[in-house]
Amino acid sequence: MLMSRCLMALRVARSQMSANVAGKPPNHLMQRFYSSNPPAIGIVDYDVVKKLPSEPQKFLIDVREPEELKETGQIPASINIPLGVVSQELAASGQLFKSKYGREKPKPDTEIIFHCKIGKRSLKAAEAAAALGFRNVKNYEGSWLDWAEREGLPK
């Protein structure tokens, strides 16, 4: 996302500068196309995730596709919101979220931990959540493969 914003800014700057005869870029090109304080994506490990069933104020969101869950199972206390719809679901109304997932929609400061199979899709989901204004997002880097190995489950 940041890369696309930077490329857009570069294209705008080039087109404006080529039209500029004075040799100085116009003031509007000095505008920032990025956030000065991008939210940090925290990282959690197995020990943190293992405790989540006793911490209902926190969210564990599995961003794998439902078919993947049928093959492997789920981490206890996780809810399944596939990566392709995670932004849409987190932006939905609180009432709609609760009707779909049986939980109150997370607030901007709620701790939300994302996981998938290996941790790449979950990082994208965490970045998407941060872009929506959620400030306490984390990624379980080892994700399902780490969980399954430690729990003696099929991968």
Side-chain angles (χ1 to χ4, degrees):
M1 181 190 250
L2 179 60
M3 180 66 93
S4 64
R5 287 183 181 170
C6 290
L7 289 173
M8 180 183 73
L10 182 60
R11 285 187 201 113
V12 169
R14 283 184 180 161
S15 68
Q16 293 293 327
M17 289 180 87
S18 65
N20 183 17
V21 291
K24 278 177 47 182
N27 286 339
H28 69 276
L29 288 181
M30 304 310 264
Q31 170 187 355
R32 285 186 171 176
F33 288 94
Y34 59 91
S35 169
S36 61
N37 291 321
I41 306 298
I43 297 170
V44 300
D45 61 13
Y46 170 82
D47 295 326
V48 171
V49 175
K50 183 76 173 170
K51 295 175 188 171
L52 289 176
S54 64
E55 298 176 330
Q57 73 280 10
K58 298 178 182 181
F59 276 76
L60 178 61
I61 299 178
D62 186 335
V63 298
R64 296 178 293 161
E65 294 298 320
E67 297 78 34
E68 293 176 84
L69 276 62
K70 289 177 188 170
E71 293 173 11
T72 62
Q74 274 183 267
I75 296 176
S78 69
I79 59 174
N80 179 228
I81 306 177
L83 177 60
V85 296
V86 77
S87 291
Q88 172 186 327
E89 297 299 312
L90 290 174
S93 71
Q95 183 178 9
L96 181 59
F97 189 93
K98 187 170 185 175
S99 71
K100 282 186 168 183
Y101 302 106
R103 295 190 62 177
E104 296 293 327
K105 179 181 166 182
K107 304 214 177 316
D109 60 345
T110 301
E111 184 172 336
I112 307 173
I113 299 168
F114 293 93
H115 84 91
C116 58
K117 184 175 181 178
I118 62 172
K120 292 189 181 218
R121 286 177 285 177
S122 54
L123 178 58
K124 289 181 182 190
E127 291 169 345
L132 288 170
F134 292 93
R135 298 182 294 270
N136 194 4
V137 294
K138 298 179 179 173
N139 183 31
Y140 177 18
E141 273 192 331
S143 282
W144 177 259
L145 291 181
D146 181 57
W147 179 267
E149 182 177 320
R150 292 171 181 259
E151 294 286 314
L153 300 170
K155 297 179 187 178

